[in-house]
Amino acid sequence: MNTVWVLLIVSSVILSILNGRVGEFTKAIFEGAKSAVEVSLFLLGIVALWLGITKIIEESGLIHRLSRGFRIFVSRLFPHVPRDHPALTSITLNLLANLFGLGNAATPLGIKAMQDLQSFNPDKDTITFEMMLFIVINTASIQLIPFTVIGILADFGAKNPAVVVLPTLLATVLSAAFAVGTLFVFRKVFK
Amino acid sequence: MNAVNLISQLIIPVFILFVVLYGVGKKVRVYDCFVAGAKDGIAVVIKIFPYLLAIFVAVKAFQASGAMDLAKGLFQGLLASLNIPLEVIPIALVKPLSGSASIGVFSDIVKTTGPDSPASLISAVIMGSAETTFYVLAVYLGAVGIRKTRYLVPVCVISDLAGIILAMAVVKILF
């Protein structure tokens, strides 16, 4: 992330000077700060809400029942996560929320999953392979029905907005498979 | 379509009802439990905030610097030779960086090229199949305070690129 950030900042400053957009640059960094606050406030609400709900799931013991149902599938993806660990449940819930396009629930549950995965990480500074796999699956964002996109197409009077469902699903499944494959290739190379 | 829509609307209410009733059944003090969990949420968001700030400032600055126009020039010839409408370039560039900006760009493409145009179709698939990667990285890594990310970032960037190419290819092959 360090490299990405340096690249973005340095190229932005140089390009904005070359393009004569220095004024826009300065305005943009303050806008960026403002949207960070807005997004954080939004996150504060939904993260607190979903961590409240997941706390009930943990305390009532429901977590063991939920993880039992999906354990076969998720523990095949994450073989190094202990079988009774809460991480399996939070990963499952996050993946289900993504699948149904529930972005507002997916992010908080994903944060919970990252915390659960971090709990058995021997080196708290360094990412584990399980965390990388989890993030890569998340950024591939497999979604059954892209509701927002269909909504916009319908608003502008598309003849059949649902025509995008099949190509989107195909593209997202293929790119998820490619992303996971790339991760495994990198693991082989950087072992 | 409507049935799927209805089911996805019902998931969250039914799930919450089930969790609360199960908790009551197990004699858990549900309200106190919820509040305790929510309190943990505050700490998490405070922890994430500086990471979000860093990434949002960098992405906004990058967009304002005119880097997009430069990239547009670079890809123009390539896309033209593949017979892909040039209007999709902005969405391919913005989607990995910013979720809210990409919705604006997408609406603009649909408005200017028409909702049934090839450009709208390709953009729609890119919208549905690519993710705002840097935002996800900032939030998830920030939440646990990971500093050494090994080969995660290169994998994500390569996958983003592949995702956008796949989106274009799928539309080209299917339609």
Side-chain angles (χ1 to χ4, degrees), chain B residues 157-168:
Chain B
V157 172
I158 292 171
S159 305
D160 260 350
L161 205 64
I164 287 165
I165 294 169
L166 275 168
M168 292 178 183

Side-chain angles (χ1 to χ4, degrees), chain A residues 4-5 12 19 21 39-40 48-49 52 55-56 59 65 100 110 115 118 125 127 139 141 156 159 178-179 187, chain B residues 11 22 30 33-34 38 44 49 54 56 62 64-65 115-116 127 131 140 144 147-148 150-151 153 159 162:
Chain A
V4 171
W5 200 74
S12 303
N19 290 332
R21 306 182 59 136
V39 170
S40 297
L49 169 65
K55 193 83 170 176
I56 301 175
E59 293 284 318
R65 297 196 139 211
F100 288 99
Q115 290 175 328
Q118 176 79 327
D125 252 6
I127 198 161
T139 53
S141 74
F156 283 100
K159 271 182 240 126
F178 179 88
R187 180 166 73 164
Chain B
I11 291 172
Y22 189 90
V30 178
C33 217
F34 178 84
V44 174
F49 176 73
F56 275 37
F62 190 69
S65 70
D116 299 308
M127 280 294 285
E131 182 57 88
Y140 284 180
V144 288
R147 292 196 305 120
K148 294 175 193 146
R150 292 160 75 190
Y151 41 85
V153 177
S159 305

